[in-house]
Amino acid sequence: MEMKPFESKLYLSSPTMHGDEIKYIQEAYDTNWMSTIGANINEAEKMICQKVGCKDAVALSAGTASLHLAIKLAGERLYGQARVGHGTLEGHKVFCSDMTFDATVNPIAYEGGKAVFIDTEYETWNMNPKALKKAFEIYPEVKLVVIAHLYGTPGKMDEIRNICKEHGALIVEDAAESLGATYKGQQTGILGDYGIISFNGNKIITGSAGGMFLTNNLEDAHKVRKWSTQAREDAPWYQHEELGYNYRMSNVVAGVVRGQIPYLDEHIAQKKAIYERYKEGFKDLPVTMNPYDEKNSEPNFWLSCILIDKEAMCKQVRGERDVLYVSEPGKSCPTEILEEIDKYNAEGRPIWKPMHMQPVYRMNPFITESGNGRARSNAYINEGAVPDIGMDIFERGLCLPSDNKMTPEQQDVIIEIVKRCFA
C-alpha cells in the first residue's frame, strides 16, 4: 500500500457538528439569554434525563465542576457541612480509580481529602474489585469510592457496588468518557450514588465545554444548582451562608449540547464501527483491543486502544518527560507506533498515566490485589514482581485515532502503519 501523510490532520477524537447546534446558539443570541439561564439549559437537562434515565440533571461548566460538586455532596452527606476554608472531606481518605485522567481525583484534594488509588484489572481496564476489597481491609474507615469508566467502557459495577454496600460506602461515578454506554441495560452515570458526564470538546458528544451532575434525588439536584450559582440564599440582597462556585453552564454552551444530544446514538455506532475495523485489521498482530465485558456491558467505544503483547514489546524506557526505545524486528512499543502515526499527520495518545505514578500524588497510598502497591520489592527476598496492572497497561498500551469522521480508507492507513511497526 502506497501511503502519504494526510492532508488534513486526523485527530484522536474531535467534535462532530451537525448544524442544529448553531440554530440553538442563534436562539440564545436572539433572545439575549447569553448567561447561565435559558431555554437551552432547561432543554439539554431534560433531554439528558430522558436519555440516561435519571430524574434530574444539572448543567454545569465542566465535567470537573460536576465531579467537584458530586464529591462535595458525598462528603457533606458522610461527614457534615464543612467550616469555611475547609473541605467536606478534610482528613478523610477516599478510594478512587488509579488509571484515569486526573480530573477524576483532583476534586478529592479540593475538598481536603486524601486519594487512595485502587489498581486496575485487565478485563475492562477499570477499578479492580479484588484490589478494592483489599483496600477496605487496610482502611476499613473509608466511606467514599470514586470510579471512572475508562475510554467509554463500563467497570465491574455489580462487584464494586456489593463491596461498597458491605462497607457502607457511597459511590461517585465518573461517566465523563462513557455517556451512552450501558451496564446490564442501565446507562452509566446512574449506577452509583452520584454520577457525572462531560461535554468536553473530545467527548462522544460535545458542548465545546460543559458537564452535568446526574441524580434521582431532587434535593441533591437543588443543592448542586445552588452551589453552582455562588450559593445565593433566598433574600432580596446577595446573602451567602455557605461557600458557592461559579459552575453553572452557559446557555450558549447548552445550545451546542442541545443540538448534539439527538446524534449520540449515531456517534456511538460510528465509534463502534471504528473499533471493529481495528480489531479485524489487527487480528494477525501481537496486540489486543481495549477489552469489555460483552455479556454485561455495551461501551460507547469513545476511544479505540491496543495493548501490545509482552513478548512483542521492544525495549522502552520512560522518564517524567522523555522516552527512549530500541527498535527490534518483529517487535514494537507505544512510542514507536505513536511516532509513526504522527509522521502521517495523525494523532494518537499514550494510555492515561496511572495516578499513583504521578509526581503530584507520589505520597498517596496505592493498593493492588496483594495489598500495598508501593515499596514492595525486597533486595534480600525474591518474592517475584508485585502485580501493578495499571502500570503494565500504561507501558504497553496506546490510544489510536478514533475520530468518527475518519473514513475506512484513512483507517486502513493507520492499520497499515501499525502493521509495519511490527514488520
Side-chain angles (χ1 to χ4, degrees), residues 330-351:
K331 297 183 178 183
S332 191
C333 64
T335 304
E336 181 176 37
I337 294 172
L338 291 171
E339 286 181 355
E340 290 301 311
I341 288 173
D342 183 64
K343 289 177 184 176
Y344 286 85
N345 200 26
E347 182 185 34
R349 291 277 177 87
I351 297 294

Side-chain angles (χ1 to χ4, degrees), residues 68-79:
H68 182 195
L69 296 190
I71 288 170
K72 179 182 176 72
L73 198 62
E76 188 172 274
R77 177 172 160 186
L78 289 167
Y79 307 115

Side-chain angles (χ1 to χ4, degrees), residues 95-99 116-136 145-150 154-161 163-164 366-371 386-390 393:
F95 296 150
C96 55
S97 294
D98 179 51
M99 199 167 76
V116 176
F117 302 115
I118 309 301
D119 199 15
T120 310
E121 41 84 12
Y122 286 116
E123 289 81 10
T124 70
W125 290 10
N126 285 303
M127 183 183 285
N128 187 337
K130 294 179 181 177
L132 179 62
K133 193 171 183 178
K134 179 63 70 172
F136 274 115
V145 175
V146 180
I147 177 172
H149 301 297
L150 198 75
K156 295 179 177 178
M157 287 305 295
D158 272 0
E159 294 175 55
I160 289 167
R161 286 188 296 196
I163 294 167
C164 289
F366 167 58
I367 309 299
T368 70
E369 289 184 28
S370 304
V386 175
D388 185 336
I389 295 171
I393 294 173

